[in-house]
Amino acid sequence: MPHKIAPSRLELKGLGISSGVGFGRARVMAGSSLQLPQYGIEKDSISLELDRFDKARNSVNRDISNMMKRTPKRAPKEVKSFLEMFRQLVNDEMLRTGVERIIRSKLINVEWALVQYLEEIKKVFEKLPDSYLSERGYDIEHVVDRLQEELQGRSNQLRDTVHEEGDEVILVTSDLSLADVIWLTEYEELELVGIITEKGGVTSHTAVLSQTLFIPAIVGISGAREQIKNGQEVFIDSFSGIVVCNPTEEEKRDILTQVEEQEKQYSRYYRARRRVAETIDHHRLQLFANVAMCTGLEEVLHQGAQGVGLFRSEYLFLGRDGLPDENEQFEQYSSLIKTMGSRPVTIRTLDVGGDKILNQEARKNEVLLKDDNPKEDNPALGQRAIRFSLANPDFFLIQIRAILRASVKGNVRILLPMISCVEEIREAKKYIEIAKKQLKMRGDACKEDIPIGIMIELPGVAFRPTPFLKEVDFASIGTNDLIQYTLGVDRGNPTVAPLYEPYHASVLGLIANVIRHANRLNKPVSICGEMGGQPELTPFFVGLGIKELSMAAMQIPQVKEVVRSVSKKDCERLAKKILSISDTTTIKKVIKKFVEGCKYE
């Protein structure tokens, strides 16, 4: 009798986008690209195409409403918040006007117009320096894909794929839309314990939602659908980004122990949300949330955020057919501030360049923007953020006036991005004073003493921060750009992305330098990049004397749990030790050993 050959073990590496481990059977989704019709139309058919588009949007809206009604009571509040966000993208007037503009100007069918609209939007979003905002282009792509499915009469492929599954499932797919992830979590018969995708990024809504729902997820495994077979036993470790297919019996015993421990850990996270972020020896931290839109704020508060440490205002400007006027911006900021009540809200002024706001055609017609800006070969180091705002003062004044008007409704701070010299701070403050005078002349109320801060994200500023800190009321360390510029790494480039290293000794040294100088001057300073939400780095920041951290809302419970399990004195000794080490590998080992020794409640 022939022996049955055991399936061979396979290990793959990707990018872990949520904390946790999962173990189950693989369900591999086959690719399915829609064959979209492309044809010209007559003028008298324009209304017919627009009617088809509106019917598709209405159908998708009904589907979302049904999903919201069916969402189980046990589901986290964030699920409905994300569904509402998806619905807002479907109903976005920019989408409607953009598609209509293309249909009317090019006389083409709606499917083709959607394809061209998506190409326009992706060009705007994919080059954004802020990874969170660049990932929003993927959300719009998912919305367009869903509309295309509706136009073609296609049912939900994912729903058809998994409806017969009974075991614990590790889903393997090219990519998942926001609605797909929510549908999977509400589907009672499906025990989803992990997600593996070939595409996606650390700040996608799929990543954010998987963190919220504690679903381990790994993205960026090229060829995953070819290498992983249906029905294989798969272990997913989103801490390390490791996927193991067909683990050995010895590995499986260890895996089951990890899964059991994880269940206890999730219970601790849930309890931590409403507790104070205070160390054992009573060093208290404020944990804020990074926010890009005025929707889903209930989720932010639900996770225990004490305010908004970073509101990315640039989302109001991206991919539009026209700039938002002062009143529209005022309404958006007011909505944010009202929801947060008396909690602090830090609004960052525009942090992109002129080539990213509006679509290409609209930029040509916008009188507020200078049209003499040459095309830049390296826009990340070009006229963006505060440089763009100061070069376009009328545009800058509109945003400042809107923020100042909204500031009377709450506890608001203004944050200036990508500061490279003190002259930029002084010039920006002059415009803020001009905006105050303009509002007074109009009879509009505003807060006179609104705090003004800067993003410290350039090595030159982090190396010698004192002159900059003396000019402002507070500072926020933007670790994403600080790492990129310090190490000369474009993390969006897969060839060099592994060199993007938060644990690099030079990066940690610059952060420590800023905090040390800020504390000497008694200036509040926070960490607002992705490092701020990494629980493993929390003890290091506590040891440096940091009092504010800002992160994705879903990371707050984990960070809070770490804060409550350490003493400031122990963290100070850890920080001192880390700053004496020069190699990244050793730094990681020291931090890991410290965190593993924490005694959680």
Side-chain angles (χ1 to χ4, degrees):
M1 184 176 178
H3 292 288
K4 187 176 180 180
I5 300 175
S8 58
R9 183 185 183 279
L10 173 67
E11 186 170 310
L12 303 172
K13 182 76 167 68
L15 177 65
I17 57 173
S18 61
S19 298
V21 296
F23 183 53
R25 297 277 179 182
R27 185 64 181 95
V28 182
M29 285 183 63
S32 64
S33 56
L34 288 172
Q35 298 298 314
L36 300 175
Q38 298 183 1
Y39 53 84
I41 62 171
E42 301 294 331
K43 282 187 177 181
D44 56 7
S45 296
I46 290 176
S47 59
L48 177 62
E49 293 300 309
L50 292 175
D51 185 55
R52 291 180 61 221
F53 182 52
D54 290 336
K55 286 180 178 177
R57 289 210 301 174
N58 291 337
S59 180
V60 173
N61 272 315
R62 284 194 297 271
D63 194 29
I64 294 172
S65 295
N66 289 333
M67 289 170 68
M68 293 181 77
K69 290 176 184 176
R70 294 195 309 267
T71 301
K73 291 182 180 180
R74 63 177 173 78
K77 295 179 181 179
E78 296 82 8
V79 170
K80 286 192 175 181
S81 297
F82 276 96
L83 275 172
E84 184 58 42
M85 189 181 304
F86 194 81
R87 177 156 57 187
Q88 288 196 5
L89 288 173
V90 172
N91 295 320
D92 192 344
E93 194 57 32
M94 288 191 297
L95 172 63
R96 177 63 166 75
T97 56
V99 171
E100 180 177 355
R101 167 177 50 82
I102 294 171
I103 291 174
R104 290 187 181 280
S105 62
K106 299 188 177 181
L107 293 177
I108 57 176
N109 64 306
V110 64
E111 290 93 343
W112 198 358
L114 270 170
V115 170
Q116 295 193 18
Y117 174 80
L118 182 59
E119 288 175 355
E120 288 182 2
I121 291 296
K122 287 172 73 173
K123 287 178 182 177
V124 171
F125 279 85
E126 66 187 6
K127 295 181 180 179
L128 291 176
D130 189 311
S131 61
Y132 183 93
L133 289 169
S134 65
E135 289 284 356
R136 303 291 70 78
Y138 285 112
D139 297 328
I140 296 172
E141 183 175 355
H142 289 314
V143 167
V144 170
D145 288 345
R146 183 67 189 87
L147 290 168
Q148 295 282 27
E149 285 181 350
E150 201 63 42
L151 286 164
Q152 297 303 298
R154 290 284 299 273
S155 62
N156 188 308
Q157 184 216 354
L158 179 64
R159 202 168 303 180
D160 295 339
T161 301
V162 303
H163 78 281
E164 293 181 349
E165 291 295 334
D167 296 331
E168 293 180 326
V169 171
I170 303 285
L171 192 67
V172 185
T173 182
S174 173
D175 199 7
L176 284 179
S177 74
L178 170 62
D180 284 339
V181 177
I182 292 174
W183 182 84
L184 286 166
T185 59
E186 70 156 0
Y187 188 60
E188 298 281 358
E189 288 78 13
L190 180 69
E191 187 68 28
L192 183 67
V193 297
I195 298 171
I196 299 169
T197 70
E198 296 174 328
K199 300 178 183 177
V202 71
T203 52
S204 67
H205 275 311
T206 299
V208 168
L209 194 61
S210 66
Q211 293 165 2
T212 303
L213 298 167
F214 299 119
I215 300 173
I218 295 179
V219 301
I221 299 184
S222 180
R225 289 177 297 164
E226 285 72 40
Q227 298 179 76
I228 302 173
K229 307 303 179 186
N230 257 332
Q232 282 185 334
E233 287 187 321
V234 175
F235 171 64
I236 175 175
D237 182 353
S238 57
F239 294 104
S240 62
I242 296 293
V243 171
V244 179
C245 303
N246 303 314
T248 65
E249 290 301 320
E250 184 179 349
E251 285 177 319
K252 279 197 279 188
R253 285 192 291 272
D254 181 54
I255 286 168
L256 293 174
T257 301
Q258 290 185 55
V259 171
E260 185 178 341
E261 175 58 32
Q262 180 173 261
E263 292 302 314
K264 298 176 183 177
Q265 191 178 58
Y266 286 165
S267 178
R268 293 198 302 267
Y269 292 162
Y270 186 83
R271 294 195 303 269
R273 289 193 281 191
R274 296 300 176 193
R275 295 182 175 181
V276 177
E278 186 176 79
T279 64
I280 295 170
D281 48 357
H282 308 298
H283 174 72
R284 185 169 291 193
L285 272 73
Q286 287 185 295
L287 304 184
F288 299 131
N290 296 336
V291 174
M293 292 186 286
C294 295
T295 55
L297 294 175
E298 296 81 5
E299 164 206 337
V300 170
L301 296 175
H302 182 64
Q303 294 291 349
Q306 295 170 272
V308 173
L310 174 65
F311 179 71
R312 298 174 168 98
S313 67
E314 46 272 13
Y315 195 81
L316 303 176
F317 300 86
L318 301 176
R320 297 173 56 115
D321 286 331
L323 288 173
D325 61 21
E326 182 182 322
N327 284 331
E328 181 182 345
Q329 292 188 55
F330 166 72
E331 292 295 336
Q332 291 287 327
Y333 303 142
S334 297
S335 174
L336 167 69
I337 295 162
K338 182 180 179 181
T339 303
M340 299 309 295
S342 61
R343 301 174 184 87
V345 174
T346 302
I347 300 176
R348 182 176 69 186
T349 59
L350 186 76
D351 192 25
V352 293
D355 61 326
K356 304 300 184 301
I357 62 175
L358 305 179
N359 57 55
Q360 188 173 4
E361 185 174 334
R363 283 199 299 273
K364 296 176 183 176
N365 302 322
E366 182 51 63
V367 296
L368 282 175
L369 304 180
K370 293 182 178 180
D371 58 3
D372 57 353
N373 296 325
K375 184 177 180 181
E376 297 178 316
D377 293 329
N378 191 350
L381 296 177
Q383 193 182 78
R384 53 166 283 221
I386 195 64
R387 300 170 183 175
F388 175 80
S389 294
L390 295 178
N392 296 273
D394 291 335
F395 168 89
F396 188 45
L397 283 168
I398 288 174
Q399 182 173 29
I400 295 299
R401 287 198 301 268
I403 296 173
L404 289 172
R405 286 171 59 194
S407 68
V408 299
K409 300 178 181 293
N411 184 1
V412 182
R413 308 190 297 183
I414 295 176
L415 184 63
L416 306 173
M418 203 182 176
I419 293 294
S420 61
C421 60
V422 292
E423 288 81 4
E424 289 171 334
I425 303 173
R426 292 168 184 168
E427 188 176 357
K429 289 197 291 187
K430 286 180 182 178
Y431 281 118
I432 293 171
E433 291 305 312
I434 290 172
K436 289 179 184 177
K437 292 177 182 177
Q438 291 174 335
L439 291 174
K440 281 184 181 178
M441 292 177 64
R442 285 178 5 191
D444 289 327
C446 72
K447 184 175 286 187
E448 283 289 339
D449 57 347
I450 188 168
I452 300 169
I454 58 169
M455 291 279 290
I456 296 181
E457 47 198 338
L458 299 179
V461 181
F463 179 72
R464 191 168 177 265
T466 296
F468 298 87
L469 291 167
K470 287 181 177 179
E471 295 283 338
V472 294
D473 301 301
F474 69 98
S476 189
I477 303 174
T479 57
N480 298 353
D481 275 350
L482 182 63
I483 297 168
Q484 180 166 271
Y485 295 133
T486 301
L487 304 182
V489 176
D490 175 9
R491 66 174 180 169
N493 181 343
T495 306
V496 297
L499 297 175
Y500 181 90
E501 181 53 75
Y503 292 84
H504 194 286
S506 295
V507 172
L508 298 179
L510 285 173
I511 292 172
N513 189 56
V514 173
I515 295 171
R516 183 168 58 253
H517 283 81
N519 288 342
R520 285 176 183 169
L521 295 171
N522 200 27
K523 299 280 185 175
V525 61
S526 67
I527 307 288
C528 75
E530 288 173 17
M531 290 176 70
Q534 294 181 5
E536 300 83 1
L537 284 168
T538 300
F540 173 69
F541 294 137
V542 171
L544 295 178
I546 200 77
K547 295 177 182 177
E548 297 179 12
L549 294 171
S550 192
M551 64 203 73
M554 294 65 90
Q555 296 169 321
I556 290 174
Q558 293 171 264
V559 170
K560 188 177 291 187
E561 189 198 27
V562 173
V563 172
R564 293 177 59 84
S565 68
V566 300
S567 73
K568 188 171 186 292
K569 287 186 177 180
D570 287 343
C571 291
E572 286 172 347
R573 285 192 286 270
L574 171 71
K576 185 176 180 180
K577 184 174 183 178
I578 288 172
L579 292 174
S580 69
I581 302 170
S582 59
D583 68 288
T584 303
T585 302
T586 305
I587 288 173
K588 287 183 176 180
K589 286 180 180 178
V590 170
I591 290 177
K592 183 180 180 182
K593 183 178 180 180
F594 183 90
V595 172
E596 287 176 346
C598 293
K599 295 181 179 180
Y600 299 113
E601 297 176 346

